[in-house]
């Protein structure tokens, strides 16, 4: 069970911001807006999966209309990036469920096409409801987060118990948590950890938040680390041939997932 939530905090204002739409700009907004109340509200809004049914291909085609401001180093469509990631996993002989994770991992960014701003969907993630780690990207932006004024949220454990397990922690809302909810009934825990925590860099890259980990998290961390290089370094300039690859992925999707998923 997730911990009980303390008192509400006031909502911040973001009038007249002059930062450009860069990864730093996205982080500055996200670090200020992502409060406990905000996260709980978004979980309630989206984790019930009431946005209709789509196949994986339909979701990928839907996502192709998105230009990701947090990933400025590629001119690939979202589907092409997903295929680059999954094909790199496939070439290295990784398990088929892990190849599937490579294709699925960014599909949660379709939240942007439901009207969510990109700062709310992309970029690094972190726990809310406890003290922020200095390993979170651009930690200076938390000075404007209203949760700074809630004493309980500024303690080491905050609203959580020691070693409660990351599955019981409220993460800053984003595409990772959303795609995890979409496929949770169908994939093994290793896959779900890769999906939910692949942007949780303070944890899997910098070793932060170990005080919230349990034994399962320690085992799953190795799988998240195994996946991360494919997400970061599989992007190239050669574009995958979607039509040539489609039969393989049709079989892969059918092996693990229903024809249409709730989104």
């Amino acid at each position: 069970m997730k911990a009980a939530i303390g008192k509400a905090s006031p909502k911040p204002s973001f009038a007249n911001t002059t930062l450009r739409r860069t990864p730093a700009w996205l982080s500055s907004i996200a670090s200020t807006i992502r409060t406990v109340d905000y996260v709980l509200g978004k979980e309630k809004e989206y984790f019930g999966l009431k946005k209709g049914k789509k196949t994986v291909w339909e979701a990928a085609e839907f996502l192709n209309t998105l230009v990701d401001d947090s990933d400025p180093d590629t001119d690939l469509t979202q589907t092409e990036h997903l295929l680059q990631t999954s094909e790199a996993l496939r070439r290295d002989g990784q398990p088929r469920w892990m190849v599937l994770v490579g294709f699925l991992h960014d599909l949660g960014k379709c939240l942007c096409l439901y009207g969510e701003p990109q700062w709310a969907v992309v970029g690094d993630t972190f726990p809310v409801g406890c003290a922020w780690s200095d390993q979170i990207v651009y930690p200076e932006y938390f000075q404007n987060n209203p949760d700074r004024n809630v004493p309980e949220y500024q303690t080491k454990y905050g609203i959580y118990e020691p070693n409660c397990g990351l599955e019981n922690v409220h993460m800053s809302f984003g595409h990772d948590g959303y795609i995890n909810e979409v496929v949770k009934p169908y994939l093994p825990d290793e896959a779900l950890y890769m999906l939910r925590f692949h942007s949780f860099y303070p944890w899997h890259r910098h070793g932060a938040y170990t005080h919230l980990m349990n034994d399962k998290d320690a085992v799953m961390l190795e799988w998240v680390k195994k996946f991360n290089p494919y997400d970061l370094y599989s992007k190239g300039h050669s574009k995958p041939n979607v039509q040539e690859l489609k039969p393989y992925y049709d079989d892969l999707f059918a092996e693990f997932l229903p024809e249409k998923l709730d989104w």
Side-chain angles (χ1 to χ4, degrees), residues 197-208 221 224-225 228:
F197 298 117
H198 70 268
S199 300
F200 187 13
Y201 286 93
W203 176 54
H204 65 70
R205 175 177 287 181
H206 300 296
L221 175 58
V224 178
K225 287 181 174 180
N228 185 243

Side-chain angles (χ1 to χ4, degrees), residues 190-254:
E190 293 85 351
L192 298 177
Y193 267 73
M194 291 176 183
L195 291 171
R196 188 180 182 214
F197 298 117
H198 70 268
S199 300
F200 187 13
Y201 286 93
W203 176 54
H204 65 70
R205 175 177 287 181
H206 300 296
Y209 296 102
T210 56
H211 54 285
L212 299 178
M213 290 172 58
N214 60 17
D215 292 342
K216 180 179 179 180
D217 298 326
V219 174
M220 294 297 151
L221 175 58
E222 298 310 309
W223 285 101
V224 178
K225 287 181 174 180
K226 189 173 185 178
F227 173 75
N228 185 243
Y230 293 98
D231 182 25
L232 289 181
Y233 305 121
S234 62
K235 303 179 182 73
H237 296 293
S238 60
K239 296 188 176 185
N241 187 317
V242 177
Q243 289 308 311
E244 284 185 4
L245 295 171
K246 189 174 184 297
Y248 171 85
Y249 285 91
D250 286 341
D251 289 343
L252 184 67
F253 300 159

Side-chain angles (χ1 to χ4, degrees), residues 43-251:
E43 288 177 354
K44 182 177 180 180
E45 181 176 358
Y46 288 106
F47 286 3
L49 306 179
K50 303 298 184 182
K51 293 295 182 180
K53 292 181 177 291
K54 293 185 184 70
T55 68
V56 176
W57 287 119
E58 287 170 345
E61 290 165 6
F62 182 49
L63 190 61
N64 278 342
T65 62
L66 174 68
V67 177
D68 185 350
D69 290 337
S70 74
D71 194 10
D73 299 326
T74 180
D75 60 356
L76 299 173
T77 67
Q78 294 294 321
T79 299
E80 288 165 344
H81 164 56
L82 297 177
L83 281 170
Q84 281 193 336
T85 304
S86 59
E87 282 296 288
L89 288 155
R90 183 183 174 194
R91 283 193 300 272
D92 285 353
Q94 301 295 356
R96 282 173 62 83
W97 61 262
M98 194 170 171
V99 176
L100 177 60
V101 168
F103 192 92
L104 296 174
H105 76 283
D106 276 349
L107 283 183
K109 291 180 180 179
C110 64
L111 286 165
C112 293
L113 304 175
Y114 300 150
E116 291 296 326
Q118 287 204 27
W119 60 257
V121 175
V122 302
D124 295 3
T125 59
F126 51 86
V128 299
C130 61
W132 300 297
S133 168
D134 61 5
Q135 297 301 319
I136 300 171
V137 66
Y138 303 113
E140 63 271 19
Y141 293 129
F142 285 112
Q143 65 184 341
N144 296 318
N145 187 303
D147 280 358
R148 180 171 293 282
N149 300 314
V150 182
E152 183 183 16
Y153 299 166
Q154 297 308 306
T155 63
K156 180 178 181 179
Y157 295 103
I159 61 176
Y160 309 109
E161 296 295 327
N163 307 114
C164 62
L166 294 178
E167 290 177 301
N168 296 308
V169 169
H170 294 280
M171 298 296 295
S172 57
F173 179 77
H175 71 281
D176 315 59
Y178 180 54
I179 189 60
N180 173 72
E181 293 296 321
V182 171
V183 299
K184 186 184 288 185
Y186 312 111
L187 298 184
D189 285 342
E190 293 85 351
L192 298 177
Y193 267 73
M194 291 176 183
L195 291 171
R196 188 180 182 214
F197 298 117
H198 70 268
S199 300
F200 187 13
Y201 286 93
W203 176 54
H204 65 70
R205 175 177 287 181
H206 300 296
Y209 296 102
T210 56
H211 54 285
L212 299 178
M213 290 172 58
N214 60 17
D215 292 342
K216 180 179 179 180
D217 298 326
V219 174
M220 294 297 151
L221 175 58
E222 298 310 309
W223 285 101
V224 178
K225 287 181 174 180
K226 189 173 185 178
F227 173 75
N228 185 243
Y230 293 98
D231 182 25
L232 289 181
Y233 305 121
S234 62
K235 303 179 182 73
H237 296 293
S238 60
K239 296 188 176 185
N241 187 317
V242 177
Q243 289 308 311
E244 284 185 4
L245 295 171
K246 189 174 184 297
Y248 171 85
Y249 285 91
D250 286 341
D251 289 343

